């Protein structure tokens, strides 16, 4: 590229001074400079000025890079008025042209960080301007790529195309691929001319384009096939050559280029298995070579720690260079192949070797040993992490082997586990200091597949007895020194829990006692973590007679452990404590004084951590439900929370909301005398929080608490104060504030539940206020900015429809007389909103209530129904794939349909879903299980009016009732038209 000089005039010098000042260590200087730059960004020419700084190779690198970063931010805010983050003023067309020209001329910069920053700015503009306004962008980049005398230009063009390719759409890819791919193939196939970095970057562009073609193939199968077929053989040849060489140690560039090859292959296999099937055998040998040699490098680098695995390292473009990221991608590709109906059989010919070597990849690394030994919280967090690690990816591959190969896959895994166990035993006998790692990896593999292995009838693991493989492994290590092998011992504990159903009672009891003992001993934290995991799973299934003699000591040990645990480990200890309480219900009265103070103090000290607070409250709730514990627990909690609620403004963040949550827990399903006790202490303060607080969490929790007071105390709530009218007025005042349309939606989030409890339990007192209530509900719904709030308010209207049956038409008449902003009346607005939101309503019971309410509305045959048109269905306004940029330009468009037709469609959808649920039968994960028992009990009569059962799962009778109702509604629909 030709050099060009940029004259630094007075304005440029001011900008340079400001940029330099933003790097000054003095806070005041930095703040003033940032404010000055922000003000300057509103003036014409700021974007071009930043471009000139970024392009000027005579300026310091840091200033140029900063200018490029600020330019990207400037583009985001001022380039395109349709952008969500747009701020006035918009950049003029002339200035845009200057910026585009300067950026392109800077793409061949020798500094890769500058090149990356420039490329990001180019990509930001291209989202808006390319190809329509910037047609010369691609030809310029192609020119740079083909210029072998300017490797900096090749790098800049590839970096820019890599960023652009992420947001390609179906209008660009078909013309881009034929022109670009030959150039990319030339780069990838010329290692003597282009280094691994450039070849890797070229492959990343191939990956993005193949991914987009895969998306397009669903709509344009013939066109994409025509593009893919010519490129399969040349690219497979290149992939084969790259993978065929043994993996290099301490060579992150080699790992990176293989990673991109695997990503490209993954897209080919996922999207075009039939098209590549004939050429796939070229890949198999080199892929196996990479897999086999990777293990050796991984063992030396990560597991033994004798070589550098480059963990946490990134290149100048921000791409990860670690060995771990490569191995994860390798597993992901192997998983894709194993799961492919067309290509899986190729790998499955070597399934025993695949599983055998995969287990070796699951060993704990040297870095993990160091980190986990120092930080038990990290150990727990990583053990629970199921997203991104070699261990997780390897376990997922083994799981896919079982799913795809069935008995053959299970046999291969069992055989591989036997071999690895024998190897570890030989290493142990030989005195190897790391013999335990492969044994721990073997147990980890088996435990990860416990569900699949136990479900397989002919699996060796289901044969209970001394020959059981897992039992053989764990009994071999019963006498291990827990201090010397903490991670193996932890894995043994968790594995015993996973396979408790096939382990002999004697061995199971031994490890149950060992786990209880480990909780109280001075052992490494990983051992206690494993013991807690084992107890959490074993206690619910353990014979109570066996465990009872040890429970008091276990409670004491867990209480002590709570005082030592922190963060992640607290969750585990609390979970274990909860299961121990359930196992020792008969001892509940004696353990409450031991457990309650510790858990309550721990809850208070971690009030800022919502997850720990939830766990702690669940423990106290379990204790509350135990025989003889609720009243002592209430007497212990109330003296603590009353001062907090009485002076909420003086409390630390989160304590008031948490205290109200604790009160709500005490109230749920409590005897009436307990509700009265809590009422006397807390009702007034909870009301005040709803009326006066501006904290969303406090308002939400206080609203839920009021709803629980009403559902638990019912009519007695009004009498307890001695002034029925005053209490009712205060309850209505709370409702009024929560339904204020000007209140933030988050603060009103739980108002739906509260209003429902008032209607259901105080019907005579609420009856005179129904019209005002409906008007307030409509106003609140119109101003609601949270979908969950709108859904909860819709549920109230659905309940009101049911309550008005069989005179539903009177309720419609009421709605018609109430105005709604922007609509002729509230009924029109309500039905417009309801029919849009019905598909978003969550929870089986809520869906039942709202769906049957719609049926009641339609069956009323009210004349207003036929007058209303509502939003129908989304239709495709343009051909092709909808990308982010296209979606911004072309918003969703909907049909308009008559209200009765829309209701009929919604009812038909509901009927189909119920039929599917009935066919599913005993599916334990059915969404229809999610039923609020209290509400079902309260509304048995209400639901009978619509022919709906109160049980969670739809029965055949329920299906028939809905079908009859549907037929009746259909008749009504035909009558209307």
């Amino acid at each position: 590229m030709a050099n060009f000089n940029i004259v630094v005039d007075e304005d440029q010098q001011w900008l340079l001074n400001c940029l330099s000042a933003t790097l000054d260590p003095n806070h005041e200087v930095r703040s003033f400079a940032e404010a000055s730059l922000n003000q300057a960004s509103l003036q014409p020419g700021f974007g071009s000025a930043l471009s000139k700084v970024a392009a000027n190779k005579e300026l310091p690198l840091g200033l140029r890079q900063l200018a490029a970063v600020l330019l990207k931010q400037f583009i985001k805010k001022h380039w395109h008025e349709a952008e969500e983050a747009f701020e006035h003023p918009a950049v003029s067309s002339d200035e845009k042209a200057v910026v585009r020209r300067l950026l392109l001329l800077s793409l061949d910069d020798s500094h890769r960080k500058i090149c990356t920053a420039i490329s990001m700015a180019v990509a930001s503009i291209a989202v808006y301007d390319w190809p329509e306004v910037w047609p010369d962008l691609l030809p310029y980049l192609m020119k740079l790529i083909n210029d072998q005398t300017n490797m900096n230009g090749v790098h800049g063009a590839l970096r820019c195309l890599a960023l652009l390719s992420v947001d390609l759409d179906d209008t660009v890819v078909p013309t881009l691929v034929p022109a670009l791919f030959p150039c990319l193939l030339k780069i990838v196939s010329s290692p003597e001319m282009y280094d691994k970095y450039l070849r890797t970057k070229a492959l990343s562009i191939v990956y993005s384009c193949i991914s987009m073609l895969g998306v397009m193939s669903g709509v344009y199968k013939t066109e994409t096939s025509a593009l893919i077929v010519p490129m399969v053989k040349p690219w497979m040849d290149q992939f084969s050559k790259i993978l065929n060489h043994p993996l290099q140690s301490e060579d992150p560039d080699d790992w990176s280029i293989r990673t991109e090859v695997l990503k490209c292959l993954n897209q080919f296999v996922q999207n075009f298995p039939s098209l590549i099937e004939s050429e796939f055998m070229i890949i198999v040998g080199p892929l196996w070579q990479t897999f086999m040699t990777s293990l050796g490098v991984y063992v030396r680098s990560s597991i033994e720690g004798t070589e550098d695995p480059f963990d946490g390292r990134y290149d100048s473009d921000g791409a990860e260079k670690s060995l771990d990221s490569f191995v994860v991608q390798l597993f992901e590709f192997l998983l894709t192949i194993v799961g492919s109906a067309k290509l899986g059989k190729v790998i499955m010919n070597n399934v025993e070797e695949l599983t055998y070597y995969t287990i070796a990849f699951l060993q704990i690394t040297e870095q993990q040993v160091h980190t986990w030994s120092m930080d038990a919280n990290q150990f727990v967090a990583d053990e629970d992490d199921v997203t991104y690690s070699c261990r997780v990816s390897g376990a997922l591959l083994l799981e896919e082997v079982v799913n795809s190969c069935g008995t053959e896959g299970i046999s291969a895994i069992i055989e591989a586990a036997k071999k690895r166990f024998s190897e570890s035993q030989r290493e142990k006998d030989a005195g190897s200091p790391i013999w335990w790692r492969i044994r721990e990896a073997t147990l980890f593999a088996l435990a990860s597949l416990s569900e699949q292995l136990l479900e397989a009838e002919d699996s060796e693991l289901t044969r209970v007895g001394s020959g059981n493989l897992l039992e053989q492994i764990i009994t071999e290590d019963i006498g291990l020194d827990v201090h010397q092998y903490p991670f193996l011992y932890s894995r043994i504990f968790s594995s015993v829990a996973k396979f408790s159903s096939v382990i002999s009672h004697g061995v199971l009891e031994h490890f149950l006692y060992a786990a209880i003992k480990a909780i109280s001993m001075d052992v490494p934290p990983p051992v206690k973590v494993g013991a807690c995991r084992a107890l959490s799973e074993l206690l619910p299934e353990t014979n109570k007679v066996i465990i009872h003699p040890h429970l008091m000591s276990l409670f004491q040990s867990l209480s002590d452990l709570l005082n030592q645990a922190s963060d992640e480990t607290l969750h585990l200890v609390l979970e274990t404590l909860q299961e121990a309480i359930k196992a020792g219900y008969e001892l509940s009265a004696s353990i409450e004084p031991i457990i309650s103070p510790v858990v309550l103090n721990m809850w208070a000290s971690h009030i800022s951590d919502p997850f720990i607070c939830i766990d702690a409250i669940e423990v106290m709730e379990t204790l509350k439900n135990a025989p003889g514990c609720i009243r002592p627990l209430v007497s212990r909690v109330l003296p603590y929370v009353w001062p907090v609620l009485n002076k909420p403004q003086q409390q630390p963040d989160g304590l008031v909301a948490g205290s109200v949550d604790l009160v709500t827990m005490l109230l749920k399903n409590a005897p009436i005398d307990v509700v009265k006790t809590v009422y006397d202490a807390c009702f007034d303060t909870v009301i005040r929080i709803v009326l006066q607080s501006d904290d969303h969490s406090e308002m939400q929790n206080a609203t839920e608490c009021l709803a629980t007071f009403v559902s638990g105390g019912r009519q007695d709530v009004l009498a307890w104060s001695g002034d029925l009218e005053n209490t009712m007025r205060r309850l209505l005042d709370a409702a009024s504030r929560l339904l204020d349309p000007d209140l933030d939606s988050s603060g009103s989030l739980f108002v739906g539940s509260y209003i429902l409890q008032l209607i259901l339990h105080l019907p005579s007192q609420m009856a005179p206020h129904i019209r005002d209530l409906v008007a307030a509900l409509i106003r609140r719904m119109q101003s609601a900015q949270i979908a969950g709030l709108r859904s909860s308010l819709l549920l109230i209207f659905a309940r009101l429809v049911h309550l008005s049956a069989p005179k539903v038409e009177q309720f419609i008449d009421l709605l018609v007389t109430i105005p709604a902003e922007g609509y002729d009346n509230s009924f029109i607005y309500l039905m417009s909103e309801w029919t849009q939101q019905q598909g978003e309503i969550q929870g089986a019971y809520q869906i039942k209530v709202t769906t049957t309410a719609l049926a009641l509305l339609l069956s009323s045959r009210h004349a207003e129904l036929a007058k209303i048109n509502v939003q129908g269905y989304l239709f495709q306004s343009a051909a092709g794939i909808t990308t982010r940029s296209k979606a911004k330009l072309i918003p969703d468009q909907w049909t308009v349909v008559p209200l009765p037709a829309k209701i009929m469609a919604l009812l038909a959808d509901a009927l189909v879903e119920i039929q599917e649920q009935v066919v599913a039968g005993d599916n334990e994960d059915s969404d229809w299980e999610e039923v609020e028992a209290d509400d079902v009990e309260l509304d048995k009569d209400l639901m009978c009016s619509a022919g709906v059962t109160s049980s969670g799962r739809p029965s055949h009778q329920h299906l028939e009732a809905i079908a009859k109702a549907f037929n009746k509604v259909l008749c009504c629909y035909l009558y209307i038209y």
Side-chain angles (χ1 to χ4, degrees):
M1 293 298 300
N3 291 325
F4 59 96
N5 295 319
I6 298 177
V7 178
V8 179
D9 57 21
E10 185 177 340
D11 290 338
Q12 281 280 298
Q13 189 59 55
W14 178 88
L15 179 58
L16 290 173
N17 293 338
C18 270
L19 292 173
S20 299
T22 61
L23 306 175
D24 196 285
N26 187 302
H27 174 71
E28 293 183 2
V29 173
R30 285 201 315 275
S31 298
F32 182 77
E34 290 166 0
S36 299
L37 287 172
N38 188 54
Q39 187 65 32
S41 69
L42 305 178
Q43 304 303 316
F46 184 71
S48 58
L50 288 174
S51 303
K52 291 175 183 177
V53 174
N56 194 338
K57 298 179 181 179
E58 297 180 1
L59 294 176
L61 178 63
L63 291 184
R64 296 179 60 205
Q65 187 175 1
L66 177 58
V69 171
L70 291 176
L71 178 61
K72 181 176 179 292
Q73 297 173 1
F74 174 80
I75 292 166
K76 188 77 172 176
K77 289 183 178 181
H78 300 286
W79 201 270
H80 196 266
E81 293 190 28
E83 177 63 44
E84 185 177 348
F86 175 79
E87 297 178 8
H88 286 286
V91 185
S92 68
S93 298
D94 291 342
E95 185 176 358
K96 286 181 178 180
V98 172
V99 172
R100 289 193 294 259
R101 180 180 64 83
L102 288 172
L103 289 178
L104 287 185
L105 292 173
S106 305
L107 278 174
D108 67 339
D109 199 285
S110 59
H111 296 286
R112 288 195 168 174
K113 289 185 177 181
I114 290 292
C115 187
T116 296
I118 294 291
S119 297
M120 293 176 73
V122 170
S124 297
I125 295 174
V127 169
Y128 312 117
D129 293 2
W130 181 61
E132 291 84 0
V133 183
W134 203 0
D136 55 338
L137 172 60
L138 184 58
Y140 188 89
L141 296 177
M142 296 291 290
K143 180 182 177 182
L144 283 179
I145 286 178
N146 288 312
D147 187 358
Q148 299 176 5
T149 65
N150 183 9
M151 285 300 164
N152 289 330
V154 174
H155 167 260
L158 287 174
R159 182 70 186 108
C160 192
L161 280 167
L163 291 168
L164 289 174
S165 63
V166 174
D167 198 37
L168 294 175
D169 63 22
D170 56 308
T171 63
V172 176
V173 170
T175 56
L176 178 64
V177 167
L180 181 60
F181 269 42
C183 302
L184 299 178
L185 183 62
K186 181 179 180 181
I187 293 173
V188 174
S189 61
S190 305
E192 71 284 351
M193 186 175 300
Y194 301 97
D195 60 24
K196 287 179 181 175
Y197 175 84
L198 292 178
R199 294 164 67 212
T200 300
K201 201 57 63 181
L203 284 168
S204 71
I205 301 169
V206 173
Y207 164 75
S208 295
C209 292
I210 297 298
S211 300
M212 188 61 213
L213 288 172
V215 174
M216 290 173 56
S217 64
V219 180
Y220 306 112
K221 184 175 181 180
T222 303
E223 292 83 351
T224 53
S225 296
L227 287 170
I228 290 291
V229 170
M231 70 173 73
V232 170
K233 181 170 176 48
W235 281 106
M236 289 296 164
D237 287 340
Q238 289 307 312
F239 295 157
S240 173
K241 290 178 182 178
I242 293 171
L243 295 177
N244 197 40
H245 298 289
L247 189 76
Q248 302 299 304
S249 297
E250 299 183 316
D251 187 354
D253 288 336
D254 182 54
W255 308 338
S256 295
I257 193 170
R258 290 174 193 259
T259 297
E260 291 301 328
V261 166
L262 294 171
K263 288 169 63 178
C264 291
L265 282 168
N266 206 33
Q267 287 300 313
F268 273 115
V269 171
Q270 284 182 346
N271 299 310
F272 308 103
S274 299
L275 301 182
I276 70 166
E277 188 175 8
S278 60
E279 299 293 333
F280 189 71
M281 287 305 298
I282 302 173
I283 294 294
V284 175
L287 176 63
W288 193 253
Q289 168 81 342
T290 289
F291 181 63
M292 295 286 291
T293 58
S294 296
L295 178 58
V297 175
Y298 187 73
V299 168
R300 294 190 300 274
S301 300
S302 295
I303 297 172
E304 296 177 353
T306 58
E307 296 176 357
D308 191 349
F310 286 79
D311 285 339
R313 316 275 182 91
Y314 298 85
D315 64 20
S316 59
D317 297 333
E320 191 173 2
K321 301 171 64 173
S322 72
L323 181 59
D324 265 24
S325 62
F326 160 71
V327 174
V328 168
Q329 187 58 56
L330 177 60
F331 279 140
E332 184 176 335
F333 180 49
L334 289 170
L335 188 150
T336 301
I337 297 174
V338 171
S340 171
K342 290 185 176 294
L343 305 176
K345 56 183 180 292
V346 177
I347 291 292
M348 287 302 96
N349 293 333
N350 300 296
V351 65
E352 291 187 6
E353 291 86 350
L354 178 67
T355 55
Y356 173 76
Y357 289 110
T358 298
I359 289 176
F361 276 103
L362 305 183
Q363 296 177 81
I364 294 178
T365 66
E366 185 64 23
Q367 180 62 45
Q368 286 170 333
V369 169
H370 174 75
T371 302
W372 294 346
S373 298
M374 300 292 292
D375 187 353
N377 288 317
Q378 192 62 49
F379 175 61
V380 174
D382 289 345
E383 284 285 285
D384 291 337
D385 185 17
V386 291
T387 52
Y388 187 85
S389 71
C390 289
R391 279 162 75 89
V392 170
S393 299
L396 289 174
L397 175 59
L398 294 177
E399 183 179 335
E400 188 61 39
V401 167
V402 173
N403 294 337
S404 299
C405 303
T407 303
E408 183 182 350
I410 290 175
S411 298
I413 290 171
I414 297 299
E415 192 60 35
K418 285 182 178 178
K419 290 181 181 178
R420 289 301 185 186
F421 171 63
S422 298
E423 289 173 11
S424 69
Q425 192 61 38
R426 289 195 295 271
E427 289 184 18
K428 179 182 180 182
D429 295 339
S432 170
I434 60 171
W435 67 268
W436 62 271
R437 295 196 190 196
I438 195 66
R439 187 168 296 183
E440 190 276 342
T442 303
L443 287 172
F444 176 78
L446 294 174
S448 299
L449 301 169
S450 58
E451 291 184 13
Q452 293 91 330
L453 295 175
L454 291 173
E455 288 173 359
E457 293 182 1
D458 56 350
S459 168
E460 183 171 337
L461 282 176
T462 61
R463 300 175 193 157
V464 181
S466 60
N468 185 291
L469 172 61
L470 188 94
E471 190 165 314
Q472 180 186 359
I473 296 175
I474 63 176
T475 52
E476 176 67 31
D477 298 322
I478 279 180
L480 280 180
D481 182 354
V482 295
H483 293 276
Q484 191 172 0
Y485 305 108
F487 297 106
L488 177 57
Y489 222 93
S490 178
R491 184 64 55 204
I492 290 172
F493 274 138
S494 57
S495 299
V496 167
K498 293 283 188 183
F499 292 98
S500 59
S501 62
V502 295
I503 295 177
S504 63
H505 292 299
V507 174
L508 203 59
E509 288 181 22
H510 169 84
F511 280 100
L512 183 66
Y513 296 148
I516 294 174
K517 187 177 179 182
I519 297 293
S520 62
M521 292 175 59
D522 181 18
V523 296
V527 178
K528 294 197 176 192
V529 168
C532 284
R533 290 191 189 281
L535 290 171
S536 294
E537 297 192 41
L538 291 176
L539 285 174
E541 309 298 329
T542 301
N543 187 319
K544 301 298 185 288
V545 176
I546 296 174
I547 195 65
H548 269 199
H550 306 276
L551 279 176
M552 290 304 294
S553 62
L554 176 60
F555 285 128
Q556 188 62 59
S557 299
L558 288 171
S559 299
D560 294 341
L561 193 56
L562 275 178
N563 293 320
Q564 305 167 20
S566 59
D567 299 337
E568 298 288 344
T569 52
L570 264 177
H571 297 289
L572 189 56
V573 177
L574 287 168
E575 180 184 348
T576 308
L577 182 57
Q578 189 174 359
E579 294 303 329
I581 293 170
K582 292 177 182 178
Y585 262 17
E586 292 80 358
L587 303 173
S588 54
S590 56
I591 63 174
E592 189 276 331
I594 299 174
I595 301 298
S596 294
V598 178
V599 176
L600 188 59
N601 289 332
M602 188 276 305
W603 166 84
S605 61
H606 291 82
I607 196 67
S608 60
D609 187 329
F611 299 105
I612 291 179
C613 286
I614 290 172
D615 288 344
I617 289 178
E618 286 180 352
V619 170
M620 286 188 276
E621 186 169 18
T622 302
L623 196 59
K624 180 197 80 172
N625 295 333
C629 286
I630 185 169
R631 290 170 181 83
L633 181 63
V634 168
S635 65
R636 197 179 305 278
V637 171
L638 290 183
Y640 185 90
V641 299
W642 183 85
V644 174
L645 300 180
N646 196 46
K647 296 182 178 180
Q649 296 85 0
Q650 301 176 14
Q651 308 306 323
D653 289 345
L655 186 56
V656 173
S659 298
V660 175
D661 203 20
L662 195 54
V663 171
T664 304
M665 180 273 293
L666 296 176
L667 288 169
K668 287 180 178 178
N669 302 314
I672 192 69
D673 65 300
V674 172
V675 177
K676 170 69 164 57
T677 301
V678 179
Y679 174 95
D680 291 340
C682 303
F683 181 78
D684 288 343
T685 57
V686 172
I687 284 275
R688 281 202 302 272
I689 290 171
V690 173
L691 294 175
Q692 299 175 8
S693 177
D694 293 321
D695 183 279
H696 295 162
S697 296
E698 292 177 9
M699 292 186 67
Q700 290 172 10
N701 290 4
T703 304
E704 188 178 14
C705 189
L706 278 185
T708 312
F709 268 122
V710 174
S711 64
R714 307 194 178 191
Q715 292 286 335
D716 290 337
V717 165
L718 302 179
W720 284 334
S721 68
D723 188 343
L724 279 70
E725 291 184 3
N726 181 60
T727 302
M728 189 66 209
R729 184 169 59 254
R730 298 181 70 196
L731 290 172
L732 290 173
D733 287 343
S736 178
R737 190 190 182 208
L738 293 169
L739 292 175
D740 184 348
D742 296 327
L743 185 67
D744 189 279
S745 295
S746 183
S748 300
L749 194 57
F750 295 148
V751 66
S753 173
Y754 174 53
I755 297 296
L756 284 174
Q757 299 307 320
L758 290 176
I759 293 172
L760 291 170
H761 299 299
L762 305 175
S764 60
Q765 290 83 357
M766 291 297 295
H769 306 284
I770 288 298
R771 181 182 178 84
D772 291 338
L773 175 64
V774 169
L777 288 169
I778 291 292
R779 289 193 298 271
R780 176 70 277 196
M781 190 183 297
Q782 286 193 302
S783 68
Q785 297 177 332
I786 299 176
L789 175 57
R790 288 195 294 271
S791 296
S792 69
L793 298 179
L794 282 173
L795 187 62
I796 300 175
F797 281 107
R799 295 285 187 95
L800 289 172
V801 169
H802 281 287
L803 290 170
S804 66
K807 298 180 180 180
V808 177
E809 62 277 2
Q810 293 182 3
F811 183 61
I812 296 177
D813 290 337
L814 171 65
L815 288 168
V816 171
T817 64
I818 296 175
E821 185 177 351
Y823 294 82
D824 290 345
N825 56 62
S826 290
F827 185 57
I828 297 175
Y829 166 72
L830 176 63
M831 299 318 298
S832 299
E833 188 70 26
W834 194 337
T835 51
Q836 286 185 50
Q837 294 293 324
Q838 181 64 35
E840 305 300 321
I841 291 175
Q842 302 293 315
Y845 183 58
Q846 287 80 357
I847 293 172
K848 281 184 182 182
V849 172
T850 51
T851 303
T852 50
L854 286 173
L856 287 171
L857 286 169
L858 190 55
S859 63
S860 71
R861 304 184 183 186
H862 199 288
E864 290 294 321
L865 294 168
K867 300 178 183 178
I868 300 174
N869 292 321
V870 296
Q871 179 178 289
Y873 302 96
L874 181 69
F875 67 87
Q876 194 72 30
S877 57
I881 310 298
T882 302
T883 60
R884 286 175 294 179
S885 54
K886 188 183 293 185
K888 291 177 182 178
L889 298 174
I890 308 175
D892 291 340
Q893 297 186 44
W894 300 79
T895 62
V896 176
V897 299
L899 173 60
K902 180 67 173 182
I903 294 178
M904 283 295 296
L906 292 171
L907 294 177
D909 290 342
L911 183 61
V912 170
E913 184 174 351
I914 294 171
Q915 287 175 323
E916 292 175 350
Q917 293 292 339
V918 171
V919 171
D922 294 329
N923 177 14
E924 293 183 359
D925 294 327
S926 168
D927 288 339
W928 294 90
E929 289 292 331
E930 300 173 9
V931 181
E932 298 176 17
D934 291 343
D935 286 346
V936 173
E937 186 64 29
L938 288 168
D939 270 359
K940 280 184 178 178
D941 295 336
L942 178 152
M943 300 304 291
C944 285
S945 66
V948 178
T949 62
S950 60
S951 61
R953 177 175 291 132
S955 63
H956 286 284
Q957 291 81 6
H958 179 205
L959 180 60
E960 292 174 2
I962 290 291
K964 289 178 181 178
F966 185 81
N967 288 332
K968 179 180 178 182
V969 170
L970 178 59
C971 293
C972 296
Y973 174 73
L974 295 174
Y975 173 83
I976 292 172
Y977 286 92

